[in-house]
Each structure stands twice: as structure tokens, then as C-alpha cells.
């Protein structure tokens, strides 16, 4: 079984970003079971309105742009597309950076590029994988 690298601090940062999204969008974010491969479903009452992945990065959005764009694993991207195809609901990617909380909403799933990238600092061969590249111009600042 693969180790879980998510820390309590990661979860706290994720929940802070989720609280901002809930307040701004007037919805409740319900944590999804791991089998969905995405973090949350956004809902109003009992009606689902979007699926959501929340990430934290230790860079500014400008720096992410200078690195070529935001990278997301094809596994997550495929899960988002599958849920969209099954329901028609949008997929929202929320990214907390050092300069704010950003989001991008997707109903189309043609990536800007596909690269093979990942971390090398943990010596985990599964950290290198195919990723979609998302242009930072597709992100809107939710909160500073």
C-alpha cells in the first residue's frame, strides 16, 4: 500500500480554503470518500452543484505561471472528467498559494499540455506521473 503523505497542516490548509469557498459561493463542501479520487462535492441543500479538488502550493500563482502552469495528475483529471460526464456538473479546482486562494472551473477537459513530472524529494517512484498542464490565466482569485 502506498504511504499517505498528507499532513495535519495540509488538511488544515485545505479546510481553510474550503471555508472560504463555502462562504463565497453559498454552498457546503462535503468531503468525498476516497473512491471518488476528488476531495469534495459542493452542495446546496441536498442538491450537488459541483465536484471540487483542493490543493495547497508553496508558491505564488505568478511563480506557478513562470514554471509553465499548474500541474495536475491525469488520475485526478480523469476522475473529474468522469464525474462531469456522468452528472453534467462542473469540476472546480481550488488552489491555495502563498498569495491567495484561486479557482478554475471546468466543463471541457482538453488540457493545455500533457507532461510527465513530479516530485523526486521523497524517493517514491509513484510521485512521477503523467500530468495535465493548466494555464494560470484560467484561474480567478477567490480571496487574498
Amino acid at each position: 500500500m502506498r504511504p499517505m503523505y498528507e499532513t495535519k497542516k495540509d488538511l488544515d490548509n485545505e479546510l481553510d480554503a474550503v471555508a472560504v469557498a463555502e462562504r463565497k459561493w453559498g454552498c457546503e463542501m462535503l468531503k468525498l470518500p476516497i473512491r471518488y479520487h476528488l476531495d469534495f462535492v459542493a452542495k446546496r441543500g441536498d442538491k450537488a452543484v459541483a465536484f471540487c479538488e483542493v490543493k495547497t502550493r508553496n508558491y505564488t500563482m505568478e511563480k506557478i505561471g513562470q514554471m509553465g502552469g499548474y500541474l495536475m495528475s491525469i488520475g485526478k483529471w480523469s476522475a473529474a472528467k468522469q464525474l462531469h460526464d456522468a452528472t453534467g456538473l462542473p469540476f472546480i479546482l481550488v488552489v491555495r498559494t502563498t498569495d491567495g486562494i484561486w479557482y478554475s472551473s471546468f466543463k471541457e477537459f482538453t488540457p493545455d499540455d500533457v507532461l510527465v513530472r513530479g516530485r523526486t524529494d521523497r524517493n517514491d517512484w509513484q510521485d512521477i506521473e503523467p500530468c495535465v498542464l493548466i494555464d494560470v490565466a484560467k484561474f480567478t482569485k477567490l480571496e487574498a
Side-chain angles (χ1 to χ4, degrees), residues 44-111:
R44 292 188 184 105
D46 64 353
K47 184 175 174 66
V49 295
F51 292 96
C52 188
E53 179 71 10
V54 181
K55 294 293 187 187
T56 298
R57 295 293 180 257
N58 291 318
Y59 301 102
T60 64
M61 189 57 80
E62 180 181 12
K63 179 67 175 172
I64 292 170
Q66 291 167 357
M67 293 186 289
Y70 183 84
L71 288 172
M72 174 182 240
S73 79
I74 284 184
K76 292 277 186 187
W77 187 254
S78 296
K81 182 181 185 320
Q82 183 178 10
L83 287 169
H84 168 74
D85 289 349
T87 65
L89 295 176
F91 164 61
I92 301 173
L93 174 59
V94 175
V95 181
R96 181 183 187 151
T97 62
T98 57
D99 62 338
I101 299 170
W102 305 77
Y103 75 95
S104 188
S105 182
F106 299 91
K107 289 186 176 183
E108 298 292 326
F109 289 85
T110 303

Side-chain angles (χ1 to χ4, degrees), residues 2-135:
R2 185 160 191 232
M4 295 289 288
Y5 294 110
E6 196 169 53
T7 66
K8 169 111 171 61
K9 184 178 178 189
D10 294 333
L11 292 173
D12 289 345
N13 286 336
E14 182 180 279
L15 292 176
D16 286 345
V18 164
V20 169
E22 286 177 324
R23 188 174 67 252
K24 294 278 187 172
W25 297 332
C27 66
E28 179 185 352
M29 298 284 224
L30 179 69
K31 185 78 169 160
L32 287 169
I34 198 165
R35 70 179 173 270
Y36 287 90
H37 305 288
L38 296 178
D39 292 327
F40 296 92
V41 60
K43 67 186 198 88
R44 292 188 184 105
D46 64 353
K47 184 175 174 66
V49 295
F51 292 96
C52 188
E53 179 71 10
V54 181
K55 294 293 187 187
T56 298
R57 295 293 180 257
N58 291 318
Y59 301 102
T60 64
M61 189 57 80
E62 180 181 12
K63 179 67 175 172
I64 292 170
Q66 291 167 357
M67 293 186 289
Y70 183 84
L71 288 172
M72 174 182 240
S73 79
I74 284 184
K76 292 277 186 187
W77 187 254
S78 296
K81 182 181 185 320
Q82 183 178 10
L83 287 169
H84 168 74
D85 289 349
T87 65
L89 295 176
F91 164 61
I92 301 173
L93 174 59
V94 175
V95 181
R96 181 183 187 151
T97 62
T98 57
D99 62 338
I101 299 170
W102 305 77
Y103 75 95
S104 188
S105 182
F106 299 91
K107 289 186 176 183
E108 298 292 326
F109 289 85
T110 303
D112 296 313
D113 209 347
V114 178
L115 306 171
V116 178
R117 295 248 181 101
R119 305 177 64 143
T120 57
D121 60 319
R122 298 189 290 211
N123 293 321
D124 184 343
W125 65 272
Q126 294 182 82
D127 281 345
I128 308 295
E129 62 183 318
C131 299
V132 298
L133 185 69
I134 303 168
D135 188 330

